[in-house]
Amino acid sequence: MPKLNKQTIAVRHGIEADQHHGAVVPPIYLSTTYSFADFDTKRQYDYGRSGNPNRDILAEALAELEGGARGIITATGMAAVHLVTQLLTPADTLVIPHDCYGGSYRLFTSLAKRGLLQVKVVDFTTAECYQQLIDAKPKLVWIETPSNPILRLTDIKSVCAAAAQVGALVAADNTFLSPALQNPLAQGCDVVVHSTTKYINGHSDVVGGAVICKTPELGEELAWWANNIGITGAPFDSYLILRGLRTLKVRLRQHEENAQAIAEYLEQHPGVEKVYYPGLASHPQHELAKAQQSGFGGMVSFDIKGELKDSAKFLTSVQQFTLAESLGGVESLICHPATMTHAGMDKEARLAAGVGDTLIRISVGIEDQEDLIADLERAFAQLHQS
Ligand SMILES: *Cc1c(COP(=O)(O)O)cnc(C)c1O
């Protein structure tokens, strides 16, 4: 087999799957159980929790896109995050970023409270983080880059080098960029996690997750746990996510083009205090983004000038951006992290993470760029009318 490029893999994987009728789109196998070929002779599949053709096609496609040996499809992104923690026993330390996804932070810290693992929180944007990682002697290091909501980057290769010094595994949550724009396994990580709910499915109509392992051994261990706990994804969801995956790269190209234009528009706008987008030369880690990513993604955050009431006015003035949490769908969404995604944090921690009352996060969709920018312009104009 020739080595194929990403868009070809995403479009073609599984097209030859139906041996019976040659259906070009892999049929959906809803059956929960499969007949035995003979006494004591199982076929490839026996029971739907343990294995399913739709799940396998999606898992193989994602493993190939991430450059891993094996993929595991889970019911949600959080199920994928939880699955990876099965690698840890109560004596093991897990190093996590101070600004990782709120659901992951809550899961890790509540597992630690129950004594199921030890947690050490590190700020991966500081110079001391590598020594802190080494001193913690972790079994596993968790990274998420770029981070939510202010798009800070973690230097993947440096974290992996520090982890290697103490024999720690590294898992990366790659949800914000998807395999189209970043491949953590190629940069030294052992495990990649996705909430496929976001860019991979891309149409805001399925909740799902995936874990991709670099080695067959890790893949085997986590696949065993996924079946054991019972968190594998549904066939119909896998079918829809594969359909979304077909267009991943072309969607991201448009997300990114729109995001870059919006970030540049916001950066020159007098009503804006600060813009956070790795594709801007002014982003403090722009060079790192160019080195470790193959694109800058579709998420843009910014602080508007003013106070909470101005944020509220802005968020309710826009018409082409829907006020909602989540990200990665074809439609543009706008959110106020302080009162929405990050409302669970106490105020001090929230401010320390850069999430103030004037911070606004946009998941830039694939609509026409002019319409999006004109809509933002109208919202700014309304701010200054009282
Ligand atoms: C949404 C998200 C998750 C959780 O995924 P669900 O599909 O909502 O369970 C994990 N990590 C990141 C970065 C996310 O954005």
Side-chain angles (χ1 to χ4, degrees):
M1 276 281 278
K3 196 167 162 0
L4 299 172
N5 293 300
K6 287 179 182 172
Q7 182 57 25
T8 310
I9 296 167
V11 169
R12 297 210 59 89
H13 190 84
I15 279 186
E16 309 292 335
D18 179 30
Q19 301 286 318
H20 199 166
H21 296 295
V24 170
V25 175
I28 307 175
Y29 289 85
L30 292 172
S31 188
T32 55
T33 189
Y34 298 81
S35 65
F36 274 56
D38 200 350
F39 178 75
D40 202 23
T41 313
K42 271 205 303 200
R43 301 182 202 265
Q44 183 179 357
Y45 297 104
D46 60 352
Y47 183 59
R49 167 164 39 76
S50 323
N52 170 276
N54 299 95
R55 207 153 62 218
D56 279 358
I57 292 170
L58 176 62
E60 290 157 10
L62 289 176
E64 209 175 332
L65 287 172
E66 284 289 13
R70 181 147 180 192
I72 300 147
I73 303 305
T74 56
T76 69
M78 282 315 301
V81 175
H82 194 191
L83 179 59
V84 179
T85 66
Q86 301 303 319
L87 295 170
L88 303 167
T89 61
D92 293 329
T93 296
L94 168 67
V95 166
I96 63 168
H98 74 301
D99 57 355
C100 66
Y101 177 72
S104 307
Y105 192 91
R106 181 179 58 199
L107 175 66
F108 298 144
T109 52
S110 43
L111 291 174
K113 252 187 220 151
R114 283 199 157 177
L116 295 170
L117 47 87
Q118 312 289 317
V119 157
K120 163 88 180 153
V121 183
V122 163
D123 178 350
F124 281 115
T125 56
T126 64
E128 310 81 65
C129 70
Y130 307 109
Q131 193 56 45
Q132 288 171 352
L133 185 167
I134 290 165
D135 293 345
K137 296 195 177 60
K139 168 94 186 283
L140 177 67
V141 180
W142 193 269
I143 56 173
E144 188 183 316
T145 177
S147 73
N148 177 30
I150 62 169
L151 291 314
R152 271 191 284 233
L153 269 67
T154 298
D155 183 333
I156 301 175
K157 281 188 180 153
S158 300
V159 168
C160 291
Q165 285 189 40
V166 286
L169 296 170
V170 180
D173 185 333
N174 200 22
T175 301
F176 263 46
L177 288 176
S178 92
L181 299 184
Q182 180 168 267
N183 287 124
L185 299 183
Q187 301 184 56
C189 294
D190 303 282
V191 177
V192 166
V193 167
H194 283 287
S195 167
T196 54
T197 313
K198 316 295 166 52
Y199 288 105
I200 290 177
N201 180 59
H203 294 74
S204 308
D205 54 6
V206 188
V207 175
V211 175
I212 296 101
C213 300
K214 189 183 219 159
T215 66
E217 295 73 26
L218 265 180
E220 183 67 33
E221 185 175 354
L222 289 181
W224 184 86
W225 273 110
N227 177 52
N228 191 18
I229 320 170
I231 54 170
T232 47
F236 189 66
D237 292 355
S238 301
Y239 164 85
L240 280 177
I241 296 164
L242 183 72
R243 185 161 83 159
L245 184 69
R246 299 290 192 221
T247 55
L248 176 68
K249 223 180 145 185
V250 287
R251 277 186 285 112
L252 270 161
R253 199 180 298 148
Q254 197 60 44
H255 280 296
E256 185 170 51
E257 197 183 303
N258 288 357
Q260 183 76 34
I262 286 178
E264 286 171 10
Y265 160 77
L266 290 169
E267 193 168 46
Q268 56 73 46
H269 199 284
V272 173
E273 188 67 46
K274 191 162 184 208
V275 184
Y276 309 89
Y277 184 66
L280 291 176
S282 61
H283 188 283
Q285 294 159 305
H286 181 60
E287 292 305 318
L288 177 61
K290 284 203 281 193
Q292 74 179 17
Q293 304 175 186
S294 46
F296 303 115
M299 300 299 294
V300 177
S301 293
F302 62 104
D303 276 300
I304 58 165
K305 284 189 183 149
E307 48 189 288
L308 182 64
K309 68 169 174 39
D310 301 299
S311 303
K313 178 116 193 240
F314 190 88
L315 286 154
T316 48
S317 301
V318 286
Q319 290 169 358
Q320 307 307 328
F321 297 79
T322 303
L323 183 62
E325 293 183 2
S326 198
L327 60 121
V330 290
E331 68 291 322
S332 290
L333 301 178
I334 196 160
C335 124
H336 185 241
T339 56
M340 295 169 69
T341 52
H342 289 63
M345 275 172 106
D346 60 69
K347 190 164 182 193
E348 208 170 305
R350 182 159 62 68
L351 292 177
V355 184
D357 287 343
T358 54
L359 187 73
I360 292 173
R361 186 190 83 175
I362 300 179
S363 171
V364 180
I366 62 169
E367 301 91 341
D368 285 305
Q369 212 174 87
E370 311 82 82
D371 293 334
L372 296 177
I373 291 177
D375 194 42
L376 294 172
E377 187 64 27
R378 270 192 301 273
F380 277 117
Q382 286 191 23
L383 269 188
H384 305 295
Q385 298 164 3
S386 45

